[in-house]
């Protein structure tokens, strides 16, 4: 469990919150709809998904909803032809959405840009043509290393439009982390910006691309496209680097949308696992759009008048699904903010909500806890009455933060939906709807056709109140298809530990009402401020330093970030365990992994606890750290 004592609070949480009658009357899916859908899906899940798919436009209808012949490599809507960009963009141009705002973007300094669906459509077409002129074809990879900008959305959509595969690397990752992803994904083009603003400073980005391209295995990259943003010094390498503005200037604003097979790859997104090598999670055109469309419309009850703000960066799955594709498919207005939520002061989030009349706010517990520290003075300064629904994602939300948000931001009127899902699931899996009865700290029940359960290591359901492993019994359209270039790891990680079911990697418990309470990861993956970081990744970064002999990393509870990393290190002969060494190692980790990898403490040890076969026992270190019983240590070396 990630907060101090939060597990205790979660165990004793018995408050319930009910929706206002008006919400129920007006909802896209009311309790009756939900009940019916659950009943229908329990009998015939494929009929449920087929109906959901019919809400979208396809170039050619599917022959089969689900092909299980090569399970666990499930295929959805086989035989169908489509392109997610058709649904996210092209079709709106023929409707009343044409002149509606697609994007409201605000820069850190308070500058803003707004784009209608028609303007976005034209910009995407121009860039799609430019990508084609650079030789980008169906199936090619295009890497994005972008700050939050309208061009980030344009680049994602343009890539998908021409049938290429986008792979985003969050701008908080290092040049080294980027290089690893380049060598795996082998992109033809990289799209980046000169820099961006964060905390009042201009942060360089292009220079990190240059640095990463100096490494081996980067020959696939033919072109680097650079968007102007922060006016920082940039070195342009002739024949390789091009300015975005110059590239698109002469292009036509019409561009055909490639017709894709339903199962053609849409994007690749790297996520931490239990080994040092991030997993390349594969999503496709057909099923992914069905999952995000249904969940956005039901979980966030999207109406034509909504202004939707999901605070995630587009570089994470939450950004892919609920900043970019979901809101655009729904034809709503998506808000994108470049800067830091505390800049220039701690009311920036509330200021944005009031300024643009945000109606739905989807954010992370870590941000709520950060803003909570400042009390209610800041939210009280702003008119937040436009809000009607709140959402949380990324880690368990402690009831204290939930109730604070519900009362002080949501006026005790806006439902706060706690949505559980993962990069692998593509869209929300376990979540209430705004019409559901809520319990603070619980993501409530699986959505229709999602057969989630809590089981023991053999796969047998555990009784209510008891902790166990979170699994999903049946496939769903927006699921991960495979791990890029590593189908074996896909099978082993998700489908074989408990044969035939999807293993999520989380611990959970069900209560007497069937509500699910997520307790945190069951594997050696940390969840720092809602972002995954593998212990093994941190450790391999550490041992890459000349002074480090061995390292072990664990997650420890943190009041704001949920979890932070602590590293235990043994030094090589001739190196001193000094404060300077701590500093040096922290800088080293930042260089290796980027600012996303926050290591709070580094402790030096003469040796680390190991099994007789030489495996470091992180579990023992963690128990020691938390003052808990270390459990079975019979395999410990001495
Ligand atoms: C892990 C997935 C797609 C969400 C953003 C993170 C944790 C996510 C919740 C929640 C408790 C949650 C889980 C999950 N998580 N949402 N509502 N309550 N825990 O995506 O990086 O793929 O991480 O985030 O541990 O396995 P991700």
């Amino acid at each position: 469990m990630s907060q101090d004592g939060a597990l205790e609070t979660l165990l004793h949480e018995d408050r319930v919150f009910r929706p206002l009658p008006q919400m129920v009357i007006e909802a896209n899916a009311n309790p009756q709809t939900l009940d019916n859908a659950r009943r229908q899906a329990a009998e015939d899940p494929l009929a449920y998904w087929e109906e959901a798919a019919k809400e979208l436009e396809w170039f050619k209808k599917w022959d089969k909803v689900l092909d299980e012949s090569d399970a666990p490599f499930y295929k959805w809507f086989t035989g169908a032809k489509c392109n997610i960009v058709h649904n996210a963009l092209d079709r709106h141009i023929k409707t009343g959405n044409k002149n509606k705002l697609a994007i409201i973007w605000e820069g850190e300094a308070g500058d803003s840009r707004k784009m209608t669906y028609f303007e976005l459509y034209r910009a995407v077409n121009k860039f799609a043509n430019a990508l084609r002129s650079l030789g980008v074809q169906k199936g090619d990879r295009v890497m994005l290393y972008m700050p939050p900008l309208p061009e980030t959305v344009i680049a994602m959509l343009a890539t998908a439009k021409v049938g290429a595969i986008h792979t985003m690397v969050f701008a908080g990752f290092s040049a080294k982390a980027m290089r690893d992803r380049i060598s795996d994904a082998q992109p033809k083009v990289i799209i980046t910006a000169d820099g961006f603003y964060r905390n009042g400073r201009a942060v360089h980005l292009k220079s990190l691309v240059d640095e990463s391209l100096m490494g081996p295995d980067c020959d696939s990259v033919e072109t680097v496209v650079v968007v102007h943003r922060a006016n920082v010094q940039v070195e342009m390498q002739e024949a390789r680097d091009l300015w975005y503005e110059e590239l698109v200037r002469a292009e036509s604003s019409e561009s055909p949308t490639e017709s894709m097979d339903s199962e053609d790859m849409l994007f690749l997104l790297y996520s931490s696992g239990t080994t040092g090598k991030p997993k390349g999670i594969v999503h496709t055109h057909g099923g992914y759009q069905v999952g995000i469309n249904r969940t956005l419309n039901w979980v966030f009850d999207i109406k034509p008048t909504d202004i939707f703000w999901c605070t995630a960066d587009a570089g994470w799955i939450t950004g892919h699904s609920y900043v970019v594709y979901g809101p655009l498919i729904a034809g709503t207005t998506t808000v994108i903010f470049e800067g830091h939520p505390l800049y220039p002061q701690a009311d920036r989030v509330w200021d944005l909500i009031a300024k643009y009349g945000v109606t739905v706010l989807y954010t992370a517990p870590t941000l709520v806890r950060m803003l909570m520290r400042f009390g209610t003075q800041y939210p009280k300064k702003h008119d937040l009455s436009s809000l009607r629904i709140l959402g949380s994602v990324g880690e368990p939300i402690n009831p204290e933060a939930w109730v604070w948000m519900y009362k002080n931001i949501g006026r005790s009127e806006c439902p706060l939906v706690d949505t559980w899902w993962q990069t692998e699931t593509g869209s929300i899996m376990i979540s209430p709807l705004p019409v559901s009865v809520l319990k603070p700290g619980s993501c409530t029940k699986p959505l229709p056709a999602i057969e989630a359960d809590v089981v023991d290591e053999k796969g047998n359901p555990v009784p209510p109140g008891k902790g166990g492993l979170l699994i999903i019994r049946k496939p769903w359209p927006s699921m991960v298809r495979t791990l890029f270039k590593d189908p074996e790891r896909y099978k082993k990680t998700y489908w074989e530990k408990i044969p035939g079911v999807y293993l999520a990697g989380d611990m959970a418990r069900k209560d007497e009402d069937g509500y699910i309470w997520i307790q945190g990861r069951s594997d050696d993956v940390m969840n720092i401020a809602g972002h995954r970081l593998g212990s093994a990744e941190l450790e391999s970064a550490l041992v890459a330093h000349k002074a480090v002999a061995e390292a072990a990393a664990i997650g420890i509870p943190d009041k704001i970030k949920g979890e932070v990393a602590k590293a235990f290190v043994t030094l090589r002969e001739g190196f001193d365990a000094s404060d300077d060494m701590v500093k040096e190692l922290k800088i080293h980790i930042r260089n290796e992994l980027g600012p996303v990898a926050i290591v709070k403490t580094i402790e030096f040890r003469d040796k680390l606890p190991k099994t007789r076969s030489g495996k470091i026992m992180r579990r023992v270190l963690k128990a020691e750290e938390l003052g808990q019983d270390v459990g079975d240590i019979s395999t410990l070396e001495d």
Side-chain angles (χ1 to χ4, degrees), residues 41-227:
E43 274 168 32
D44 188 353
L46 298 188
Y48 172 84
W49 290 123
E50 184 156 33
E51 217 177 284
K54 285 182 183 158
E55 286 175 10
L56 297 165
E57 291 184 5
W58 303 73
F59 303 143
K60 175 177 172 283
K61 212 187 155 225
W62 48 89
D63 304 322
K64 223 172 163 194
V65 176
L66 171 65
D67 176 357
E68 300 185 272
S69 59
D70 190 23
F73 300 95
Y74 295 97
K75 295 182 187 67
W76 286 89
F77 308 109
T78 49
K81 291 279 184 187
C82 62
N83 189 311
I84 194 169
V85 179
H86 175 81
N87 283 306
L89 211 49
D90 302 353
R91 74 178 164 140
H92 295 308
I93 304 311
K94 293 171 266 163
T95 71
N97 285 337
K98 180 177 175 185
N99 297 319
K100 186 177 170 176
L101 280 187
I103 298 176
I104 297 177
W105 174 87
E106 179 158 308
E108 194 179 67
D111 44 333
S112 86
R113 285 169 63 190
K114 293 177 182 170
M115 285 182 104
T116 64
Y117 274 89
F118 185 57
E119 288 170 315
L120 181 62
Y121 170 79
R122 287 172 52 96
V124 167
N125 286 342
K126 276 171 166 281
F127 195 48
N129 288 332
L131 286 175
R132 285 196 176 104
S133 77
L134 295 174
V136 174
Q137 292 173 352
K138 206 169 180 168
D140 284 341
R141 269 81 59 212
V142 171
M143 185 170 279
L144 274 70
Y145 190 54
M146 289 286 283
L149 286 177
E151 283 75 15
T152 311
V153 180
I154 294 168
M156 289 169 80
L157 296 174
T159 303
K161 182 153 194 153
V162 306
I165 298 159
H166 56 75
T167 176
M168 271 198 88
V169 178
F170 175 58
F173 280 116
S174 66
K176 162 82 168 49
M178 189 181 182
R179 183 183 307 155
D180 294 343
R181 287 155 177 77
I182 294 171
S183 95
D184 195 62
Q186 297 284 293
K188 200 178 230 177
V189 173
I190 297 181
I191 303 160
T192 189
D194 52 353
F196 61 103
Y197 294 99
R198 190 86 180 156
N199 262 319
R201 290 185 305 122
V203 181
H204 285 254
L205 212 52
K206 166 65 164 63
S207 57
L208 295 186
V209 176
D210 296 339
E211 190 186 329
S212 73
L213 287 178
M214 286 188 292
D217 290 337
C218 292
D219 299 341
S220 67
V221 180
E222 293 169 9
T223 313
V224 177
V225 179
V226 189
V227 177

Side-chain angles (χ1 to χ4, degrees), residues 546-549 570-578 581:
K546 61 182 186 306
V548 178
T570 62
L571 291 173
R572 289 184 192 281
E573 206 97 65
F575 291 95
D576 286 336
S578 61
M581 181 58 79

Side-chain angles (χ1 to χ4, degrees), residues 271-272 281 316-318 322 362 365 392-397 417-427 430 441-443 470 504-507 517-522 525 527 530-533:
S271 186
S272 292
I281 289 165
W316 307 108
I317 189 70
T318 312
Y322 299 106
Y362 189 23
S392 171
V393 64
E395 48 165 326
I397 181 162
V417 291
D418 179 1
T419 65
W420 178 90
W421 59 296
Q422 311 175 294
T423 308
E424 291 88 340
T425 70
S427 61
I430 309 177
S442 168
C443 51
L470 183 65
D506 279 353
M507 296 288 296
W517 302 71
I518 307 289
Q519 300 173 311
R521 298 287 308 187
S522 63
V525 174
N527 188 333
H531 300 141
R532 272 205 241 173
L533 181 66

Side-chain angles (χ1 to χ4, degrees), residues 347-554:
D347 69 341
R348 192 64 190 268
V349 172
W350 320 129
D351 183 53
L352 246 81
I353 292 170
K355 184 167 169 188
Y356 300 114
V358 171
T359 56
V360 183
L361 176 70
Y362 189 23
T363 191
T366 184
L367 184 64
V368 177
R369 290 191 298 264
M370 195 161 94
L371 296 170
M372 225 172 109
R373 277 190 312 178
F374 298 91
T376 55
Q377 49 169 336
Y378 286 121
K380 278 196 183 127
K381 284 211 293 200
H382 298 275
D383 177 7
L384 304 179
S385 60
S386 58
L387 284 173
R388 53 181 210 99
I389 296 172
L390 305 171
S392 171
V393 64
E395 48 165 326
I397 181 162
N398 47 315
E400 195 198 350
W402 195 102
V403 172
W404 185 86
M405 181 85 169
Y406 183 80
K407 279 198 180 142
N408 300 301
I409 308 306
R411 316 177 299 277
S412 299
E413 283 182 0
C414 306
L416 198 174
V417 291
D418 179 1
T419 65
W420 178 90
W421 59 296
Q422 311 175 294
T423 308
E424 291 88 340
T425 70
S427 61
I428 299 170
M429 305 296 281
I430 309 177
S431 170
L433 302 192
V435 297
S436 304
V437 176
L438 307 171
K439 300 186 188 183
S442 168
C443 51
T444 74
K445 294 185 180 182
L447 293 173
I450 304 301
E451 279 197 33
D453 203 355
V454 181
V455 301
D456 64 20
E457 257 148 35
K458 296 208 174 66
N460 301 312
V462 299
K466 214 168 162 269
L469 302 167
L470 183 65
I471 58 137
I472 303 165
R473 292 190 196 283
K474 289 221 169 80
W476 62 98
S478 66
M479 65 193 290
V480 48
R481 293 303 192 269
T482 187
L483 296 179
F484 193 60
K485 293 182 180 164
D486 205 350
E488 269 313 302
R489 189 174 176 198
Y490 166 75
K491 275 204 277 190
K492 272 203 205 113
T493 312
Y494 305 109
W495 298 96
E496 282 176 357
K497 288 183 185 141
I498 301 175
V501 303
Y502 173 84
L503 185 67
D506 279 353
M507 296 288 296
R509 139 184 99 80
K510 261 193 197 172
D511 67 16
E512 291 70 21
D513 300 326
Y515 275 44
I516 293 176
W517 302 71
I518 307 289
Q519 300 173 311
R521 298 287 308 187
S522 63
D523 50 11
D524 283 316
V525 174
M526 292 172 259
N527 188 333
I528 302 176
H531 300 141
R532 272 205 241 173
L533 181 66
S535 292
E537 270 170 282
L538 251 185
E539 291 159 3
S540 55
L542 275 165
V543 296
H545 189 279
K546 61 182 186 306
V548 178
E550 283 180 319
I554 59 167

